[in-house]
Amino acid sequence: MAAAQKTALIMGVANRRSIAWACVQSFLSQNYRVVFTYQNERHESTALHLKGNHPNIHALPCNVEHEIPILFQEKIPELFGDNVSLNAIVHSIAFAPEIKTHSLLETSRHAFQVAHDVSTYSFLEMAQQALPLLHPGSSLTALSYLGAVKAMPHYNVMGPAKASLESVVRGLALELGSFRRDYHIRVNAVSAGPLNTLAARGIAGISDIRNDVTKRAPLKRNVTAEEVADTIFFLATQATGITGQTVYVDGGYSIVAGP
């Protein structure tokens, strides 16, 4: 009897350059059934174009500020039935409304709250809502960035938001590792180098950072979305002894100090 096809949920596809879309491709290459989410109707045509007619890709809208419960309680069960179980979830979502126009010192209370709500709390709420659908041995993986642990120019309020996200990853790893007998849910983060994505273009000076990577990173190049996605797949499906960790996929840039 053939084993049941495994299912991955990838949250946060914006376009073909998204790390999230590279994750869709990585999981598909290993015969996973993949559901991906996009933000709203403005992104629907792009999402449906990416999905095409592939039988193992499903696209669902999800504005993480208020639709996460609907995604897990209604949309995913409607798609697969009540017996659906998720083997891996990848969270690739971040937003800060003033990141290009205000320094950290100038950040408003509203921008601080939105950055943490969208970039951090959405991962926590995702875990809360996904719990009834998680398969034993499944995993949750978040996307982070070096600005969570280092003071990066122009990263502004997103730095504290990503630091909070990595802290949530560690806390959830502790709680979910043994929340139910034999389930052993793992929670990790991947800190990706600066890629040429829609999200990265929202950061002033991103080209300068990418150029600096080519000069100072041990590998002397920027990484690709595919390299990040393949690491996420490994962490999510094969690295069964790893949880609560932030793994850097940045060509070694994060280990270097000085010119």
Side-chain angles (χ1 to χ4, degrees), residues 133-156:
L133 304 183
L134 293 179
H135 191 271
S138 60
S139 66
L140 313 177
T141 309
L143 265 295
S144 191
Y145 180 61
L146 184 59
V149 295
K150 302 288 185 182
M152 300 290 294
H154 311 297
Y155 206 50
N156 305 336

Side-chain angles (χ1 to χ4, degrees), residues 160-210:
K162 288 296 190 182
S164 177
L165 175 65
E166 292 187 10
S167 181
V168 168
V169 164
R170 292 188 291 270
L172 286 178
L174 178 63
E175 294 184 8
L176 295 181
S178 58
F179 94 101
R180 189 181 298 169
R181 184 178 179 183
D182 297 329
Y183 260 57
H184 307 303
I185 307 301
R186 296 178 300 104
V187 189
N188 290 292
V190 168
S191 184
L195 298 171
N196 186 24
T197 63
L198 183 64
R201 290 199 293 274
I203 303 168
I206 189 65
S207 295
D208 294 334
I209 297 173
R210 283 175 56 81

Side-chain angles (χ1 to χ4, degrees), residues 248-259:
Y248 290 85
V249 186
D250 61 0
Y253 187 67
S254 55
I255 70 168
V256 177

